[in-house]
Amino acid sequence: MSIADRFQPGRPVLSFEVFPPKRDGDVESLYRAFGELAPLRPDYISVTYGAGGTNVGLHYEINARLVKMGITPLAHFTCVGQGKDAIRAQLDKLWEAGVRNILALRGDPPKGTGKFVPHPQGFAHAGELVAFIKANYKFCVGAACYPETHPEAKSPADDLAFLAAKVKAGADFLVTQMFFGNDAYFSFVKRCRDAGIATPVQPGVMPVQSPKFFERDWGVGVPPELRKAVESAADHDEAASRGLEFAKSQCRDLLGRGAPGLHLYIMNKVRPARGILEAIGRKS
Ligand SMILES: Cc1cc2nc3c(=O)[nH]c(=O)nc-3n(C[C@H](O)[C@H](O)[C@H](O)COP(=O)(O)OP(=O)(O)OC[C@H]3O[C@@H](n4cnc5c(N)ncnc54)[C@H](O)[C@@H]3O)c2cc1C
């Protein structure tokens, strides 16, 4: 089923994001987690695509497993390092496995290179991938957006104009980068509407699970109180609980102010998914 069709007034779309584990054996624990996540009835589970196209086989396998379990997968897909033929071969396979929703992304430049260089037979921007998918398939297509602006963008206005073009190319719904201040999300949505972007903008929420999270610059604002709470925790468990508490109040506020759903970056863990769904009163 098309994820875009699930966005209906008064019914938040709830989804979880997972990644293909790096070690082969860990995929079994991800499948066990799916067994625990299924009763929470997510609208979909999204599966990230390895940076630089690594782990393509496992990405396919996980998406196919979700279809078999009766859970709608959203398969992330990037343009990094591949031309149209390779892209087509993978999309054909995903379609045959019953996947009907793709999150079309450009992808990050390979580590250490700093600059995205398109494949000679590939695409330079996510908008081109969106257009390619829409021209050749019946997938419902989602795309990424950045309430605090994509780090490579020259300006917020530039970024928004390119986002509008990406939607015009066929993106059916948008999922945001994580953010920790809800005002950033709501003012971004207003700017989208003013720019003529009418698609749902599903907010992405990251329940921070460890102080390690703050070691990387994600290009998003981090409230000092969140950082302090997580970094001053006595152990990993307490750090995760504090990150989760922050995310719960963020989610309650988002839905209370009319956000059309929540996309939870759960990092393959069941606890944040369960905790947040309880906090918003969604029964399994
Ligand atoms: C919800 C979400 C899920 C993600 N999942 C993954 C994943 O699974 N795997 C992964 O590797 N990465 C993932 N990413 C990260 C993403 O790949 C990076 O943020 C990447 O740098 C940009 O991808 P994009 O699709 O937003 O690119 P684009 O929409 O192409 O934008 C990239 C940059 O180019 C600019 N731009 C866009 N169009 C044009 C144009 N026509 N001309 C000039 N400039 C333009 C934009 O302003 C922006 O600065 C995800 C990000 C989000 C928010």
Side-chain angles (χ1 to χ4, degrees):
M1 164 165 193
S2 147
I3 289 172
D5 289 345
R6 302 217 178 160
F7 288 91
Q8 299 295 337
R11 195 198 162 276
V13 171
L14 300 174
S15 53
F16 308 135
E17 181 168 313
V18 301
F19 59 87
K22 289 220 170 67
R23 287 182 310 192
D24 280 355
D26 289 352
V27 76
E28 289 308 323
S29 59
L30 181 61
Y31 293 158
R32 279 194 295 279
F34 287 164
E36 294 181 62
L37 292 170
L40 302 176
R41 293 183 293 114
D43 287 280
Y44 67 90
I45 290 183
S46 84
V47 184
T48 65
Y49 194 81
T54 49
N55 256 345
V56 165
L58 195 53
H59 174 262
Y60 167 80
E61 191 195 293
I62 295 169
N63 279 288
R65 172 68 72 113
L66 284 167
V67 172
K68 283 204 182 110
M69 290 181 74
I71 300 173
T72 301
L74 171 63
H76 296 210
F77 200 90
T78 78
C79 313
V80 178
Q82 48 191 357
K84 286 187 191 104
D85 289 348
I87 290 173
R88 199 189 283 276
Q90 290 169 68
L91 291 174
D92 285 351
K93 243 182 116 183
L94 287 165
W95 180 270
E96 278 159 28
V99 174
R100 295 293 176 263
N101 298 273
I102 300 286
L103 189 72
L105 301 146
R106 186 200 70 180
D108 279 323
K111 253 191 196 139
T113 63
K115 193 172 168 0
F116 180 84
V117 179
H119 186 279
Q121 279 84 46
F123 305 115
H125 302 287
E128 294 175 10
L129 176 63
V130 171
F132 175 79
I133 298 175
K134 281 295 180 183
N136 292 285
Y137 297 91
K138 292 198 166 114
F139 285 113
C140 167
V141 177
C145 62
Y146 304 82
E148 294 168 270
T149 304
H150 185 265
E152 288 168 38
K154 287 201 187 86
S155 70
D158 243 35
D159 207 27
L160 191 66
F162 290 133
L163 181 62
K166 188 156 72 172
V167 171
K168 211 165 168 204
D172 299 299
F173 68 102
L174 298 171
V175 183
T176 78
Q177 173 63 297
M178 71 185 96
F179 55 87
F180 296 101
N182 290 351
D183 288 349
Y185 166 77
F186 287 106
S187 61
F188 173 69
V189 173
K190 178 163 186 326
R191 289 175 55 238
C192 285
R193 301 303 179 232
D194 291 348
I197 298 169
T199 54
V201 181
Q202 190 180 4
V205 174
M206 166 69 80
V208 174
Q209 299 191 23
S210 137
K212 267 194 161 179
F213 173 84
F214 303 114
E215 286 171 11
R216 176 169 160 188
D217 178 9
W218 296 93
V220 303
V222 176
E225 69 273 19
L226 170 63
R227 188 172 184 146
K228 195 169 161 212
V230 173
E231 287 184 341
S232 66
D235 54 27
H236 182 272
D237 222 41
E238 189 176 324
S241 296
R242 290 181 177 185
L244 181 54
E245 284 313 306
F246 186 94
K248 282 182 190 172
S249 72
Q250 198 187 347
C251 290
R252 279 191 294 255
D253 181 65
L254 280 166
L255 294 182
R257 291 165 70 183
L262 300 168
H263 181 65
L264 304 177
Y265 294 104
I266 61 168
M267 310 300 286
N268 298 7
K269 301 269 194 304
V270 174
R271 183 183 171 202
R274 202 177 271 147
I276 289 173
L277 265 58
E278 274 169 19
I280 61 168
R282 165 95 162 227
K283 305 215 169 40
S284 58

